[in-house]
Amino acid sequence: MSSATANENCLGWAARDASGVLSPFKFSRRAVGKDDVSIKITHCGICYADVIWTKNKYGDSKYPVVPGHEIAGIVKEIGSNVQRFKVGDHVGVGTFVNSCRDCEYCDDLLEVHCLKRAVLTYNSIDVDGTITKGGYSNSIVVHERQDFYHDVTSPLLCAGITVYTPMMRHKMNQAGKSLGVIGLGGLGHMAVKFGKAFGLNVTVLSTSISKREEALTLLGADKFVISSDQDQMAALAKSLDFIIDTASGDHPFDPYLSLLKTSGVLVLVGAPSEVKFSAASLLRGRITISGSATGGTKEIQEMVNFCAAHGIHPNIEVIPIQYANEALERLIKSDVKYRFVIDIENSLK
């Protein structure tokens, strides 16, 4: 049944200002509407987006910010119209919790590109006018269309889909072709896993030699190249069909574009503060540069099914909520292998 009133007993961890420091925070969740699902959160992944909005890096943070948009949990209540789920179902929630469901993109199940703007899982305006709050909390209310059965770990709902969507759109699933992956964090290690599952020859491009062994042995990459080594980069010139750039720090683009074959594609999924490259880098090689966010409900379900069929899951480090501040600082320093996941159920009390 639907709740008549809001849930006033939600506990989370929130940042109150641009320091980004999180601490316990009690707040109300909106009432469960007829098309909504209320979820007891069991786990939540930590994403670089959590750094961006807790620290107000885009200048639009709506404090207090409760971050987290890689959510796994169990249905505890459903609205009267809900057909897809029942109480007790294991579900996942990604980067958005609602959309207009009426524009051309929503009709194509690409809700993340909703013309009226999708309601993001946190730091967004919800249907009742309140500010959405994310998965560093013990419950959440979402429209049933934004839930997914989950047989895999919560980071797939952001890190996974963020790389899977552009890889499929740009046909980076053609066995035998070559893929370069810039950065080996939460997104990068998933790009390597998808690339190998697609039958690609995968080269990891990193500034850190310490990641070489894991890239080659743990993740199964075919090559590992130190991107600051000019000789190694020169040896790779015009050898890659695709590059997926997961790096969030500022970095040069021309050296990477030189690695692409004619008509090669570079997809940017990280969040550097600026993107600069020479026009000649595009013109000479007929290069395409593309950007991509996460994905819509159809793509997410397709990815979840693909991961289940191929045994793909993120490499994670499970932490208690009390470690969240340190985890965010380690994330900034790229000191995680490869995704932190908060054990909400057992540590948020």
Side-chain angles (χ1 to χ4, degrees):
M1 296 179 61
S2 302
S3 295
T5 59
N7 175 5
E8 299 180 352
N9 300 308
C10 194
L11 175 62
W13 275 46
R16 271 71 168 193
D17 54 44
S19 71
V21 175
L22 301 169
S23 58
F25 173 62
K26 289 185 178 181
F27 61 100
S28 299
R29 286 290 185 191
R30 66 177 176 82
V32 178
K34 61 184 180 180
D35 299 310
D36 292 333
V37 176
S38 176
I39 299 164
K40 172 189 174 183
I41 298 173
T42 60
H43 295 85
C44 183
I46 293 181
C47 174
Y48 192 77
D50 302 343
V51 174
I52 291 173
W53 276 287
T54 56
K55 292 183 177 291
N56 199 27
K57 289 184 176 291
Y58 287 166
D60 64 349
S61 296
K62 303 173 180 64
Y63 294 108
V65 173
V66 177
H69 58 202
E70 297 179 344
I71 299 168
I74 301 170
V75 175
K76 64 177 184 177
E77 185 180 351
I78 61 173
S80 57
N81 288 350
V82 172
Q83 301 294 320
R84 293 179 59 209
F85 303 101
K86 63 181 184 301
V87 172
D89 280 346
H90 289 256
V91 295
V93 178
T95 60
F96 54 97
V97 294
N98 211 334
S99 66
C100 79
R101 305 185 301 282
D102 193 39
C103 70
E104 59 182 291
Y105 297 105
C106 288
D107 286 344
D108 288 339
L109 301 181
L110 294 170
E111 299 92 341
V112 69
H113 301 295
C114 176
L115 286 176
K116 297 180 182 178
R117 300 195 69 174
V119 178
L120 301 182
T121 305
Y122 66 88
N123 201 60
S124 190
I125 306 299
D126 211 339
V127 293
D128 63 346
T130 61
I131 306 302
T132 56
K133 294 175 174 60
Y136 292 25
S137 60
N138 55 23
S139 68
I140 193 167
V141 176
V142 304
H143 190 278
E144 71 163 329
R145 181 162 156 172
Q146 318 310 333
D147 293 339
F148 306 91
Y149 288 101
H150 75 91
D151 297 314
V152 284
T153 318
S154 56
L156 285 178
L157 297 170
C158 176
I161 193 61
T162 296
V163 294
Y164 180 88
T165 295
M167 290 178 80
M168 295 301 289
R169 187 170 74 247
H170 292 285
K171 298 180 171 56
M172 297 185 188
N173 59 345
Q174 302 173 64
K177 292 205 170 185
S178 54
L179 169 70
V181 178
I182 302 174
L184 197 63
L187 276 66
H189 92 288
M190 290 305 305
V192 173
K193 292 190 176 201
F194 286 134
K196 294 305 298 180
F198 292 143
L200 303 178
N201 186 292
V202 179
T203 298
V204 172
L205 301 154
S206 176
T207 58
S208 176
I209 187 63
S210 65
K211 295 186 177 181
R212 182 180 188 278
E213 194 62 28
E214 289 190 351
L216 298 174
T217 60
L218 179 64
L219 300 176
D222 299 283
K223 295 179 184 177
F224 182 89
V225 169
I226 295 295
S227 55
S228 58
D229 187 314
Q230 293 184 6
D231 291 336
Q232 290 188 41
M233 292 288 280
L236 203 60
K238 292 191 176 297
S239 67
L240 302 176
D241 296 291
F242 314 107
I243 294 175
I244 187 157
D245 185 349
T246 72
S248 288
D250 289 340
H251 56 281
F253 282 79
D254 289 297
Y256 296 114
L257 295 176
S258 72
L259 307 183
L260 288 168
K261 297 178 182 178
T262 299
S263 300
V265 177
L266 182 147
V267 176
L268 179 67
V269 295
S273 63
E274 62 179 11
V275 177
K276 290 184 177 180
F277 53 84
S278 166
S281 294
L282 303 188
L283 301 176
R284 290 172 184 166
R286 203 166 63 184
I287 300 302
T288 297
I289 293 184
S290 175
S292 188
T294 55
T297 53
K298 181 180 179 181
E299 295 165 319
I300 296 173
Q301 189 63 66
E302 178 185 298
M303 177 206 61
V304 169
N305 294 343
F306 181 85
C307 289
H310 292 82
I312 296 173
H313 55 82
N315 291 46
I316 64 172
E317 181 177 336
V318 179
I319 62 169
I321 187 70
Q322 293 77 14
Y323 190 76
N325 286 306
E326 188 168 350
L328 287 167
E329 291 304 312
R330 282 180 57 190
L331 177 60
I332 293 170
K333 298 173 184 176
S334 300
D335 180 23
V336 52
K337 298 177 181 177
Y338 289 92
R339 205 67 159 180
F340 286 117
V341 173
I342 303 170
D343 183 352
I344 297 292
E345 184 175 29
N346 292 310
S347 66
L348 181 57
K349 305 293 185 182

